[in-house]
Amino acid sequence: MKATASGIEKLDRVDRRMVSLLQKDGRMPIVSIAKELGISETTARSRLKRLIAEDVIKVIAVSNPIRLGFEIIGNIKLSIDLKKKDAILQALKSIEALNYVALTTGGNDIDIEFIAGSLSEFKTLIFERISQIDGVNSAETSLIVEIIKDTWDYGTAWDD
């Protein structure tokens, strides 16, 4: 890997191809990955372990929460007191129903994706958990009624 202007290490061609293969099929056997990349199984295994250890990739099952019985999924945009940003982010990280929390620029400060099993859980999440965090000024929620596109095979910024 080579460092870029942003300080992020650029993946070499083999690593990039491995990431692309796993984005398409996260269950691809290491033997198949090695064969596809033209490298030994041992090399493929060690590269995969390094990519995981360096938090470049996570090999997980991506599921559709609607098909798993969750009644409500959506997005929350928060405006916060930026002086309390670190404490707010820590509090949000501890809420299990939140599967994505990001600090953002623009009209809102934090973008959140959530999953709730019921309207009651959603109400508790908004009114008893998130709105009670010191420094949260306002919350704007959007509910997802249908997932139209959900892809994860976007390659890397350095793909040829």
Side-chain angles (χ1 to χ4, degrees):
M1 293 197 293
K2 298 181 233 169
T4 63
S6 64
I8 296 173
E9 300 245 350
K10 182 177 177 180
L11 302 177
D12 68 19
R13 188 171 185 272
V14 173
D15 285 346
R16 291 193 314 265
R17 288 185 57 216
M18 181 178 285
V19 168
S20 289
L21 290 171
L22 290 168
Q23 284 175 334
K24 288 175 180 53
D25 179 5
R27 295 178 357 138
M28 184 179 230
I30 199 73
V31 174
S32 300
I33 293 171
K35 184 176 181 180
E36 184 75 30
L37 299 177
I39 59 177
S40 73
E41 186 178 335
T42 303
T43 300
R45 187 170 275 104
S46 67
R47 281 178 174 259
L48 177 59
K49 282 182 182 179
R50 180 180 46 76
L51 290 171
I52 292 169
E54 292 176 356
D55 205 25
V56 173
I57 62 171
K58 292 179 184 172
V59 182
I60 60 168
V62 177
S63 59
N64 179 331
I66 294 170
R67 296 214 180 254
L68 294 176
F70 291 96
E71 290 186 21
I72 301 174
I73 59 174
N75 183 273
I76 305 168
K77 296 189 181 305
L78 298 181
S79 291
I80 65 167
D81 178 347
L82 291 174
K83 293 176 186 148
K84 299 178 180 179
K85 165 185 64 80
D86 293 336
I88 293 167
L89 290 171
Q90 277 305 115
L92 292 170
K93 281 173 59 175
S94 72
I95 300 174
E96 193 172 317
L98 308 181
N99 57 305
Y100 174 85
V101 177
L103 193 59
T104 61
T105 63
N108 296 291
D109 304 307
I110 297 176
D111 188 58
I112 299 167
E113 290 181 7
F114 70 90
I115 300 172
S118 67
L119 188 56
S120 177
E121 283 182 25
F122 173 64
K123 179 182 159 197
T124 298
L125 176 66
I126 299 300
F127 295 108
E128 296 175 26
R129 302 288 309 271
I130 294 174
S131 68
Q132 298 302 312
I133 299 170
D134 184 37
V136 171
N137 297 329
S138 68
E140 176 185 324
T141 62
S142 299
L143 302 183
I144 295 172
V145 295
E146 182 180 5
I147 297 172
I148 308 302
K149 182 177 180 180
D150 189 24
T151 61
W152 298 94
D153 58 341
Y154 43 81
T156 73
W158 310 291
D159 287 347
D160 302 325

